[in-house]
Amino acid sequence: MIKAVIFDMDGVLTETSHQHFLAWNRLAEELGYILPLEVKDAVRGISRLASLDIVLKAVNADKRFTESEKLVLAEIKNIYYIESIKRFTAEDLSEGARELLELLKENGLKIALASASKNSKFLLRAMEIKQYFDIVVDPAVIQKGKPAPDIFLKAAELLNIAPEDCIGIEDAYAGIESIQRAGMTALGVGDAAVLSNCSIVFDNLQGVYSYFVRLFRE
Ligand code: BG6
Ligand code: MG
C-alpha cells in the first residue's frame, strides 16, 4: 500500500534543469567551449561535481583541470545558478505541483524530497511549498549520488516507511534508476525518450495528479 511519495526537485517541482544547463553553458563559454545540448539531459539528477566531469568530457576538456581547479569551477557554476534562481517565487512551481501536493496530503500520504541539489531547500522556501514536506534529505549526507539508490532509501528510512510502500517521482534517467534500485515504484515526468528506463511516464505533474486520483479511487 502506498504510504509516501518522494519527489525530486529540479525538473519535477520546477523547471530548473534549464537554469542548471544555462549556468553550465555560461561556464563552458567562459572557458572557450560550446556546450552540446545533450548535456542538459546528461546532468539531470547528477551531483554538482559529477556534472562538471560530464560537462568537461562533453567538450574534450576532461584532462585540462586539476581537482582543486575543478572545485573552483563548480563553485563558479553554482554562483551563476544561484543568480538565476534568486528571484524564484511560487509562480515558478511546475503547473499542477501545488494541487498534487494538496491531494497527497488530503489522502494522508507522507511527502519527502530527495534532490541531489544543495539549493533545493532554498527553492522549497522561495516557492512556498516547504510546509508540505515531512522530511527533506540533505544530499550532503549521501555518499553515493543517483543512480545509486542511497538518497531514496534515506528518505524512506527517515519517514520510517518501507521502500515498497513508496513512490518516487523523477525527471532524470539516473533518478529513475535510483528509485528502482531502492525497490520503489518509479513515476517519470518529462520526455519518455529520455526516461526510457521507466514504464510510467507523464508529460507533466497534471498527469501525475490524475494517476493519484485513480489510485485513491481503487
Ligand atoms: C540535481 C540536478 O537536482 O541537482 C543536477 O538535476 C544538479 O543538474 C544537481 O547538478 C546538484 O545541484 P546543485 O544545486 O547542488 O549544484
Ligand atoms: Mg531532476
Side-chain angles (χ1 to χ4, degrees), residues 2 6 19 22 37-38 44 48 57 72 75 81 99 101 117 122 130 135 143 151 198 200 203:
I2 295 306
I6 307 174
Q19 276 78 5
L22 290 180
L37 200 57
E38 302 88 78
R44 279 180 199 268
R48 195 181 306 163
K57 210 165 180 179
V72 176
E75 189 50 41
Y81 176 67
E99 292 77 3
L101 292 164
S117 172
F122 165 79
K130 190 169 177 284
I135 65 110
Q143 287 208 332
I151 193 164
C198 188
I200 318 172
D203 288 343

Side-chain angles (χ1 to χ4, degrees), residues 2 39 56 62 65 68-69 72 76-77 110-111 122 126 159 161 197 200 207:
I2 295 306
V39 169
L56 293 177
D62 39 336
F65 301 100
S68 55
E69 285 170 337
V72 176
I76 295 171
K77 178 267 174 177
K110 296 279 184 205
I111 302 179
F122 165 79
L159 289 169
I161 292 178
N197 55 347
I200 318 172

Side-chain angles (χ1 to χ4, degrees), residues 4-200:
V5 178
I6 307 174
F7 283 87
D8 172 47
M9 169 65 82
D10 300 310
V12 173
L13 291 168
T14 179
E15 206 14 294
T16 35
S17 302
H18 189 58
Q19 276 78 5
H20 278 294
F21 178 73
L22 290 180
W24 285 124
N25 195 41
R26 185 169 164 192
L27 179 75
E29 275 181 10
E30 284 174 2
L31 296 171
Y33 303 107
I34 293 168
L35 200 56
L37 200 57
E38 302 88 78
V39 169
K40 183 171 180 180
D41 289 330
V43 300
R44 279 180 199 268
I46 307 296
S47 74
R48 195 181 306 163
L49 276 174
S51 293
L52 175 65
D53 284 334
I54 292 173
V55 166
L56 293 177
K57 210 165 180 179
V59 296
N60 289 320
D62 39 336
K63 304 258 154 51
R64 179 172 158 189
F65 301 100
T66 64
E67 290 307 308
S68 55
E69 285 170 337
K70 287 206 269 183
L71 290 178
V72 176
L73 294 178
E75 189 50 41
I76 295 171
K77 178 267 174 177
N78 193 46
I79 290 168
Y80 295 159
Y81 176 67
I82 289 175
E83 206 176 297
S84 69
I85 60 165
K86 70 178 180 210
R87 289 200 183 79
F88 264 45
T89 65
E91 297 278 293
D92 294 288
L93 264 181
S94 299
E95 255 183 80
R98 190 176 300 278
E99 292 77 3
L100 174 60
L101 292 164
E102 291 277 354
L103 177 77
L104 299 176
K105 273 276 160 281
E106 280 162 15
N107 285 276
L109 266 64
K110 296 279 184 205
I111 302 179
L113 190 77
S115 166
S117 172
K118 294 183 173 143
N119 294 299
S120 54
K121 277 201 169 158
F122 165 79
L123 286 173
L124 284 181
R125 279 193 302 274
M127 299 192 298
E128 299 170 29
I129 52 168
K130 190 169 177 284
Q131 68 277 17
Y132 294 106
F133 289 80
D134 297 288
I135 65 110
V136 175
V137 180
D138 177 0
V141 305
I142 303 298
Q143 287 208 332
K144 284 198 222 123
K146 300 169 188 179
D150 304 33
I151 193 164
F152 282 94
L153 287 174
K154 188 72 184 174
E157 182 196 317
L158 292 172
L159 289 169
N160 201 17
I161 292 178
E164 58 266 33
D165 295 332
C166 298
I167 286 181
I169 307 183
E170 267 286 352
D171 68 311
Y173 186 93
I176 295 293
E177 188 174 328
S178 176
I179 296 169
Q180 290 168 341
R181 283 166 64 183
M184 302 175 181
T185 301
L187 300 186
V189 178
D191 186 347
V194 172
L195 299 170
S196 57
N197 55 347
C198 188
S199 51
I200 318 172

